Structure formats: structure tokens, C-alpha cells
Amino acid sequence: MWMKFNSSMPQERFSEFLRRSLTLSAVFLWQRADWNTVPRLRGELCGKMLPVVERVQRALSDLDPFRLRVLVASSVGLGGVLCYLAWRRKPKKLPFGDGWWRVGEKPLTEDRTVRPFAVESSEEAMRDLHQRIDRARYTDSLEDSRFHYGFNSDCLRRVASYWRHEFDWDKQVKELNKFPHFKTNIEGLDVHFVHVKPVRRPGQTVLPLMMVHGWPGSFYEFYKILPLLTETEGDFVFEVVCPSIPGYGYSEAPQVQGFSSLDAARIFHKLMERLSFTDYYLQGGDWGAFITCNMAQIKPECVRGLHLNMINAKAGGTQTVVSLLVGRYLPFLVGFTREDVRRMYPYMQKNVYELLRESGYMHIQATKPDTAGCALNDSPVGLAAYILEKFSTWTDFKNRDLEDGGLERKFSLDDLLTHIMIYWTTGSIVPSMRFYKENLGKDYHKRMDTVTGISVPTGLAAFPHELLHCPRVWARSRFRDVRSYTYMPRGGHFAAFEEPALLAQDLLQFVEKVERKRSK
């Protein structure tokens, strides 16, 4: 036990106090050491430390009381600092937890079967869709309003006409099924995922990778990037798993309240374990970025690296205010680069006013998602307007100035309508919107994952037309091991869908950095 320190303590008690203080500090640091990397060091140190300790004890017995008190105070202070620093370096983990997302009690046994799945089309569903499109009512657009009021009605008529008369859903179903689909039941929910194995060349290392979508996207966002990751020329090639978030697309929706990104993260860890992966890379944007960050916080030992194309981090408090006030004029003083300044300023215009313009949907979905969701689930044209407006504006804010919203600058109507069909045919727009309420309905900034740092190797791809820009200096406040930070030359919110080659290139260079360091 610790001995109470006071100025009248006899010299021999001082010596005993100091010895115990030093011993406890040594034991603490001894336990913190990574002895797996130096297997013979423990025995060697034990043999060498004994005579050293005896010499220290003799020296302590020769000190006068004043010098001994000074040494005690210094040793206790140093030991405390060392213990605190060692504690700070230890990665914090979030509890793994468990869940059951069906009405009723959880059964004693769990069906762990992984079942093949295929997307299907039905004539009845297409008849119903066409009838609803034919009955759609439109409102005339205001003169010269373009996309400033939302989805332009004249453009919507053209999209709906293409959907009704030219879009070939059977052809797109074949496109969806070109990669293997599966389902498995986890925590009561049938979880859908695409699992693509690589074309492995001699000498290549196969690395598991999970890619997670967001809203209003789907697993289909990754179809253009999958060949670039599963057929590579370099040292590494990926085996890719793309799940659908529960409540999105072909994953079953929770039947009870409370399903958050933390629960999705736990389910996806269980999915990877069920597929026999012990450690893997993660990649995500939008909600996928939140979920993969949570995965890194829950089981960092399973995450070889985390790559994000949406960066959610702030310096916090006074540092943020000082950075914003000084950064525009003296960026080097606060760690900003010239590119940070170009993307962030004028700050009120690019970060406050733009956020107000683009976050109305979020307030609805975080408070009363079912109200708007019921209308969208009943009208395919309304659903298309609601979702495609995001693919227009979030790709580039300047698309609001165009009559057609710039929809076909980066995407084809077939690709865009395939996303809409995934939501329409599964009736998943309402549960996908509820995900906002489950995550943002309470005080999000006090959630344990928002105040817990991320310690795994991290790669950050900052696309110029992402909704908000996060400088590297701010990112480091949350991500403790940033291995790469790239100012991407073009692209917006839907990175894998817009710029698959750029995203794949950045992911590969990040993985090479991580694997190179792991091999040393």
C-alpha cells in the first residue's frame, strides 16, 4: 500500500516510501510493455536489475533527510507523469454489446447460415410502378428557378418519362446480379451483402475489405469500383464485402426502436467474423463513415486500416474559434494549408449558409421521418425527386444553377434509376430515413463514440465538393494515426459512384503505406 508522505517522516520510512513508489511505477510500465516483440528481454532485465536495485538502496540510505524528501517528490511526480502518459497511449474501446431487433424474445440458438440471394423482378411490381408514374401530378416550376427550389419539375417530367418508357429494369437486375449476393441472419435481421472474391495474380496478398454505403445510396454505389479493387496489378488485391445497412435495400429493417450506427457496426463485425475474417480494412462515406469509425472504436484489433471519404472531426472549443479567425490570414499558424483556406472560406458562406440550405432533409428525418416517408413510399415520382435532388446538389453545389441539375454529368439515368428502384421495390425509404432519428434524435454530441478517439491507421480522402471540408489538423483531434490525407482533385459526396478510379487509387496507396509499416 502507499505510505502517507509528510515532512516529519523518518529517513528509513522515506527510503521505504521511495522504493515502493519506484516499484509500483516500474511494475505498471513493465505490464504495459509489448513483450511479444522482445521475448528474451524479460529474463535479461531480471538478471541485470537486481544489482542495480541493491546499489540504489545503498545510495538512498546515505542521503540526508532534505535531499531524500526532494528525491521522493521528484520521483512521485515523474512516476505519475509516466503512468498518465502510458494510460493516455492505451487505445480506448467502446463496449461490443449485443442486440435483438425483432418483436419478441431472442431465441436460445441463432441461425448462422449464409444463404445465396438474387435480386428479382416481377411483372406485377412493374405494372404497379408504371400505373403510379402515369398518375403522377406535377407542379409547374417557377420561372428560371432551375434547382434552387429543389428538383425542377420540368426535369422531373423528363426523368419520369424515361423511367416509364425507356428504363429496362430487367436489364438492370442482371447488372445487379453480376456480383454474388448473400443474406445471413444477425441479431434477428436478415442482412444482405455483396461478396466479391479477387482475381489473384502470383505473389499478390489478398486483403479483406468492407465498404459501407450511406443515405440515399446503396451497395450499388460500389459497382464501378469493385473491379478496380478485386483485379489489381500491384502487391495487394482485395476480397470485398459490401453490406446493406439494416433498413436499406435488401437488408431487413429493425422492428423495434433504437437501432443506431453503433448497432450497425456491431452487426457488421459479426458478419465479417461469420465469413471467417479476423482482421480487415474498412472504407466508408456518409453513414458508412460513421459506421466504419464505430467499428474501429469497438474492435480496433480487427481493423487493419480505416479509409474514409467523409471526414467527421472538429478541433473543438477555443481551438476551432481561433483557427477560423486566424486561419484565413495566417493559415500556417493554425496548421491550415492554402487548399484548406480555399475550400473553407468565406466560412459563413461555405459552412453555415450552405449547411442551412442542404440540411432541411436531415431535420425532418431526425424528428418525424415517417411523416414524409409515407408520402415517398407511395409515390415513385416523389421518391425520385427526393433522392435524385441529393445526387445533383451533393455532387456539386453549382449544379443548382443548371436546368437539368447536372444529373448526367457524372451519372447515367440508368444508374440513378437503379438506386431509386432498390428503394422502391424494397419499400425501404421509411426505415432508411428512421436511421437519422435513431442516431440524431438524442444529444448526439454526448454519445460515447463522439468523445472517443480512433487509434487504428487511417486514410482520409478529402473531395473538393464534399458537403463540409475538414482540414488535416482538425482530423488529428479524432484520428490518432493518420497515415495519409489526400486533397482529391475532383468529386463530391458520392465518391465511389462519381470517381471510382480516384477513390480506388487513394485507397490502394493508403493500404500500401499501412502494409509496408506492418512488415517492418
Side-chain angles (χ1 to χ4, degrees), residues 323 327 330-337 340 471-474 476 487:
S323 297
L330 299 170
F332 61 91
L333 289 181
V334 294
F336 288 176
T337 66
D340 291 328
R472 180 171 186 155
V473 66
W474 285 2
R476 284 175 173 168
Y487 295 100

Side-chain angles (χ1 to χ4, degrees), residues 297-318:
Q297 292 169 316
I298 291 172
K299 294 188 76 173
E301 67 276 12
C302 293
V303 180
R304 294 174 78 98
L306 170 68
H307 187 273
L308 305 174
N309 58 273
M310 189 179 84
I311 310 165
N312 181 32
K314 287 288 185 183
T318 305

Side-chain angles (χ1 to χ4, degrees), residues 208-212 241 243 268 271-272 280-283 292 295:
L209 167 67
M210 174 176 278
M211 306 186 77
V212 185
V241 177
F268 289 166
L271 172 60
M272 294 301 273
Y280 30 86
Y281 282 91
L282 301 173
Q283 202 288 323
T292 52
M295 293 177 73

Side-chain angles (χ1 to χ4, degrees), residues 54 66 92 157 160 249 290 292 297 306 334 372 393 397 452 460 470-471 510:
E54 292 175 349
F66 175 76
K92 307 298 188 302
R157 285 187 178 93
F290 285 83
T292 52
Q297 292 169 316
L306 170 68
V334 294
T393 307
F397 287 162
T452 301
L460 305 172
C470 180
F510 162 67

